[in-house]
Amino acid sequence: MQAETQSIVVISKDPAVCALVASVAQFQPGTGVKKCASALSEINGTALQLAKDNDLIIFRAGAEAATDAAAVKEMLRHTGGTARILALADTSMPFADLRLLTEAGVQDVLPETASADEMSAAIRKCLKAEEPQPLAGVSTRGSREGMVVAVSQSCGGAGATTLAVNLADCLTRRRGLRRQEAEFKVALLDLDLQFGAVGSFLDLPPNRCLYELASEGFVPDDVFAEQSMSEAALGLWVLAAPAEIAPLHALKPEQVQALVAHLRQQFDFVVIGLPRALAEWLTPVLEASERLLMVTGSSVPAITQARRLLDFYAEASMSLQTDIVISRERKPIVAASHHKEASKLLQKPFKYWLPNDPSAASAAVDRGVPLSAAAGRSSLAKAIRRLSRDLIETRKARAAAAQPQHGKAV
């Protein structure tokens, strides 16, 4: 028998919630579960005593998030900040209400539809924590300093979404038996607020998070950044564009800057799809980006538009490294004269080429999966993998340079 047991109290009127926690806790030796068929806001002093006498409080958030947040703050005050609290919330709860709970001191918020595995992981995280996590606004995650890669396009239909989706997928670098291990954790952020198609490429529903960010005007914290992402594949997390149409200027620079900063903390790579339009909030994205991939054709109109965008990007971030990606063309053995002229106009070489492979691209889009799953041996998939390898090597070189040098001083 264990010398010390851990106790969990479930505060909820829903017996299914109590049953789920009890079924999960039975696989954690030494953990007992108590049930309190009530709402957190209804038990007042009882909740304070429960928080003091037990290791973890799990409660079902009610319709009045402010009332629950006040009760959480009181429990933390009564226990000297040692209470560990986990909340279950309706999937339709606004992010503003979720922020109230996390700012009050809730360690984690799970959707009420959470699976047994998700519930088990959350409980283990809370019970194994030696000290409670600090309130929202103070990140407890290790700084990954993820590499930000922005993807832009000179004209519609250039293939920027195809590149962004499949580049992010390749950057996970899945390995092992049946590719069940991802070496890197990658975020894919669709900032084409009005016409972004990343979600449809991966068979994901539209995500209202960016719309709520634009309409409510708050600066996102790390909890918002984490909970707004949807897992599309092993190692790949996506923040898709919303279904609602919102003006590009509705987003503010400080909001986008904070969102990208939090994603950099949580992911090894952050791939950002940019709109083919200019907005004030593009500046913090470009300043955070280590690489910009300009996807364009080699026609005169496409190159002309690419030149205009590159001029704007250079003014926004003088240190930004930009690579030209020629779409729907196979790299020639000898550059044609119009390629040379176009490269001269852009003042940059054509570094990457994406061959025209409509059958592979269509197979992936129709199935709602990356090229790696639909046509992994296609010429298009191979070209994007080569690009991803260059970015991975760049990140590794940066990480190596950041390591302290050991040896004799010269």
Side-chain angles (χ1 to χ4, degrees):
M1 293 181 61
Q2 293 187 344
E4 182 180 353
T5 60
Q6 296 175 313
S7 57
I8 300 174
V9 176
V10 182
I11 304 174
S12 175
K13 295 180 179 180
D14 186 354
V17 173
C18 300
L20 175 60
V21 176
S23 66
V24 167
Q26 66 178 326
F27 296 105
Q28 301 188 33
T31 301
V33 177
K34 303 174 185 178
K35 304 173 185 177
C36 181
S38 181
L40 180 63
S41 59
E42 295 175 356
I43 56 178
N44 300 321
T46 303
L48 302 182
Q49 194 60 41
L50 289 174
K52 188 174 182 180
D53 295 341
N54 297 276
D55 297 287
L56 176 62
I57 299 291
I58 300 178
F59 75 94
R60 171 67 168 80
E64 296 295 331
T67 304
D68 287 337
V72 169
K73 290 180 180 179
E74 187 61 22
M75 282 192 290
L76 288 169
R77 189 193 64 79
H78 187 71
T79 60
T82 62
R84 297 166 183 172
I85 306 170
L86 176 66
L88 296 176
D90 189 282
T91 54
S92 62
M93 175 177 278
F95 270 99
D97 289 350
L98 293 175
R99 290 177 69 240
L100 279 178
L101 296 177
T102 56
E103 288 173 355
V106 171
Q107 286 182 271
D108 202 355
V109 182
L110 291 181
E112 61 180 355
T113 56
S115 66
D117 288 341
E118 291 170 328
M119 177 66 73
S120 179
I123 291 175
R124 285 198 305 271
K125 176 182 175 182
C126 291
L127 290 179
K128 288 183 179 180
E130 294 183 1
E131 296 182 359
Q133 297 177 355
L135 302 184
V138 181
S139 176
T140 60
R141 299 173 179 83
S143 176
R144 290 176 180 262
E145 285 299 320
M147 180 179 184
V148 180
V149 181
V151 181
S152 183
Q153 58 183 334
S154 65
C155 55
T161 302
T162 297
L163 176 60
V165 167
N166 292 286
L167 175 62
D169 178 66
C170 289
L171 287 172
T172 61
R173 189 176 271 190
R174 298 187 196 93
R175 293 176 173 178
L177 183 63
R178 299 183 180 179
R179 294 164 57 84
Q180 292 300 306
E181 299 176 8
E183 181 177 351
F184 298 108
K185 188 179 180 184
V186 181
L188 175 56
L189 174 59
D190 191 351
L191 284 183
D192 191 347
L193 195 61
Q194 297 177 326
F195 304 107
V198 165
S200 60
F201 269 58
L202 292 170
D203 197 26
L204 294 173
N207 191 323
R208 295 191 79 252
C209 293
L210 288 176
Y211 182 79
E212 290 188 6
L213 198 63
S215 59
E216 297 181 19
F218 61 89
V219 176
D221 56 16
D222 57 346
V223 176
F224 176 94
E226 181 178 25
Q227 296 184 349
S228 62
M229 307 299 289
S230 301
E231 188 172 14
L234 184 66
L236 176 60
W237 296 77
V238 177
L239 177 49
E244 299 86 351
I245 298 295
L248 286 177
H249 66 264
L251 278 178
K252 303 303 179 186
E254 60 271 20
Q255 293 177 304
V256 177
Q257 182 181 32
L259 178 60
V260 174
H262 289 310
L263 292 177
R264 287 190 68 191
Q265 295 279 328
Q266 300 172 22
F267 293 88
D268 299 299
F269 289 94
V270 181
V271 178
I272 303 177
L274 300 180
R276 193 167 59 90
L278 305 183
E280 188 179 1
W281 51 260
L282 283 176
T283 298
V285 174
L286 298 172
E287 290 176 343
S289 299
E290 292 185 43
R291 193 73 59 88
L292 172 75
L293 302 177
M294 170 59 72
V295 184
T296 181
S298 61
S299 66
V300 172
I303 294 298
T304 301
Q305 292 299 324
R307 176 71 270 170
R308 295 176 65 196
L309 286 173
L310 289 176
D311 288 341
F312 170 80
Y313 296 153
E315 290 182 6
S317 177
M318 297 293 292
S319 61
L320 179 63
Q321 180 179 340
T322 303
D323 291 332
I324 305 299
V325 181
I326 298 298
S327 180
R328 296 191 174 91
E329 289 189 51
R330 194 178 295 273
K331 183 177 182 179
I333 298 176
V334 178
S337 59
H338 74 281
H339 288 151
K340 294 178 182 179
E341 290 299 320
S343 178
K344 186 184 299 184
L345 176 63
L346 295 178
Q347 300 177 352
K348 292 183 180 295
F350 293 171
K351 187 169 184 179
Y352 300 107
W353 300 72
L354 302 182
N356 189 30
D357 198 342
S359 59
S362 296
V365 172
D366 291 344
R367 290 175 53 187
V369 296
L371 279 167
S372 61
R377 297 183 179 180
S378 65
S379 58
L380 180 58
K382 292 177 180 177
I384 296 176
R385 276 200 296 272
R386 285 193 293 270
L387 198 164
S388 73
R389 285 197 290 268
D390 284 354
L391 295 177
I392 290 172
E393 289 304 314
T394 298
R395 185 185 185 280
K396 288 184 174 180
R398 183 194 69 180
Q403 293 295 323
Q405 299 296 318
H406 300 285
K408 295 182 179 180
V410 178

